[in-house]
Amino acid sequence: MPKDLVVFLEERQAWAGRLAFAAALARHWQAHLIATYVVRPLALDPHAGFAAGPALTQMLAEHEATAAAALDSARAEFAALTQRRSFSAEFRSSRDESGEALMLHARHADFAVLGPPQRQRNDVSALGLSEQMLLACGRPCLLLPDSWPGERLPQRIVVGWNGGREATRAIADAMPLLAAAASVQLVVVPEAKTRTLLGADPGADMATHLARHGVPVALEQCKGDDAGAVLLARCAALDADLLVMGAMGRARISEIVFGGATRTVLEQAPLPLLLSS
């Protein structure tokens, strides 16, 4: 069972539902909740590079005032949400952190909750691409749509399984959620390579493994050329609360160039994603 989780809150983005979702998870697991508020760098403002002279001084002052007010508001909302809690919690602010420094907030926790994939956004956030966080931090990352209800924890879960390392890691990372779910659909999209690797009944051994852990699992073998599209279709049909899958199932270069299940899901998924790499 996870002992701590971190939720990233980003200035100028809709994070209230994300925070409520993470708090509900922390309460369910009795885990320590860390909220890391990421102050938006001035460099992301497209107009910042055009200011000069007195206008630059005024712009910097306005930026600092806006950022400070947003930070205070987030801290107050966090305090109000967690003041009568059954779990421990802390609030952090992250300013001018990037790359490894930001990743450490996730690496020092069991679980990270992020916003939706960058591919579904119209702006660039301080965290950069959510999928970059995913690939770099080494922890399971749950990417949550901005409109997702904070109280809707996963009960109907779809798991993508192809026998690969990333999918194996994702299932292991998701085990606390899978064991507590009402139903888990293990979806395999058999192809020649999968059948050779997994035998005549692809997914049967993983379904047995999950059942030994008390997971209410059902195996489903689906036809299709696009595994990502098949997984999303099954999520829609089952009204799933969560899709669990490994990220970058192919070699990463071919995944970026040619697409693949990960790219399809990151571009189109309307539900929470738990991805591991």
Side-chain angles (χ1 to χ4, degrees), residues 117-135:
Q118 183 66 39
R119 294 165 190 250
Q120 297 184 22
R121 291 187 180 277
N122 295 321
D123 64 338
V124 178
S125 72
L127 288 175
L129 299 179
S130 292
E131 43 266 45
Q132 287 183 354
M133 162 73 84
L134 161 73
L135 293 172

Side-chain angles (χ1 to χ4, degrees), residues 159-172 206 244-247 276:
V159 179
W161 174 241
N162 63 0
R165 181 190 71 83
E166 294 87 352
T168 303
R169 174 72 180 272
I171 288 175
M206 178 52 73
V244 175
M245 63 180 289
S276 296

Side-chain angles (χ1 to χ4, degrees), residues 123-214:
D123 64 338
V124 178
S125 72
L127 288 175
L129 299 179
S130 292
E131 43 266 45
Q132 287 183 354
M133 162 73 84
L134 161 73
L135 293 172
C137 76
R139 292 296 192 183
C141 290
L142 197 153
L143 279 61
L144 198 72
D146 288 336
S147 60
W148 194 259
E151 69 280 0
R152 186 178 174 182
L153 294 183
Q155 286 298 308
R156 296 177 298 279
I157 302 177
V158 171
V159 179
W161 174 241
N162 63 0
R165 181 190 71 83
E166 294 87 352
T168 303
R169 174 72 180 272
I171 288 175
D173 288 339
M175 197 64 76
L177 294 169
L178 299 177
S183 65
V184 173
Q185 201 79 5
L186 183 69
V187 177
V188 181
V189 184
E191 54 186 17
K193 180 180 178 181
T194 303
R195 287 194 179 278
T196 301
L197 182 66
L198 300 180
D201 192 12
D205 289 337
M206 178 52 73
T208 300
H209 169 69
L210 290 171
R212 291 191 185 109
H213 282 267

Side-chain angles (χ1 to χ4, degrees), residues 220-255:
E220 184 175 5
Q221 297 168 354
C222 299
K223 294 182 179 179
D225 297 325
D226 186 337
V230 171
L231 287 172
L232 292 179
R234 297 309 300 142
C235 288
L238 297 166
D239 191 25
D241 306 306
L242 179 68
L243 171 58
V244 175
M245 63 180 289
M248 303 298 178
R250 301 181 189 176
R252 290 181 182 176
I253 293 298
S254 66
E255 184 79 13

Side-chain angles (χ1 to χ4, degrees), residues 35-177:
T36 298
Y37 181 88
V38 183
V39 177
R40 184 179 176 86
L42 182 60
L44 292 183
D45 187 335
H47 305 293
F50 296 99
L56 176 60
T57 301
Q58 181 180 355
M59 181 194 65
L60 290 173
E62 291 176 352
H63 171 77
E64 288 299 319
T66 300
L71 176 60
D72 289 344
S73 177
R75 184 182 285 110
E77 185 165 343
F78 178 79
L81 182 65
T82 60
Q83 62 182 348
R84 292 194 179 99
R85 60 186 182 264
S86 59
F87 54 90
S88 58
E90 67 177 285
F91 184 90
R92 301 174 181 170
S93 62
S94 170
R95 180 186 290 270
D96 298 327
E97 288 183 324
S98 61
E100 292 293 311
L102 264 180
M103 301 307 106
L104 285 176
H105 291 281
R107 288 175 181 156
H108 294 155
D110 289 322
F111 206 84
V113 178
L114 304 165
Q118 183 66 39
R119 294 165 190 250
Q120 297 184 22
R121 291 187 180 277
N122 295 321
D123 64 338
V124 178
S125 72
L127 288 175
L129 299 179
S130 292
E131 43 266 45
Q132 287 183 354
M133 162 73 84
L134 161 73
L135 293 172
C137 76
R139 292 296 192 183
C141 290
L142 197 153
L143 279 61
L144 198 72
D146 288 336
S147 60
W148 194 259
E151 69 280 0
R152 186 178 174 182
L153 294 183
Q155 286 298 308
R156 296 177 298 279
I157 302 177
V158 171
V159 179
W161 174 241
N162 63 0
R165 181 190 71 83
E166 294 87 352
T168 303
R169 174 72 180 272
I171 288 175
D173 288 339
M175 197 64 76
L177 294 169

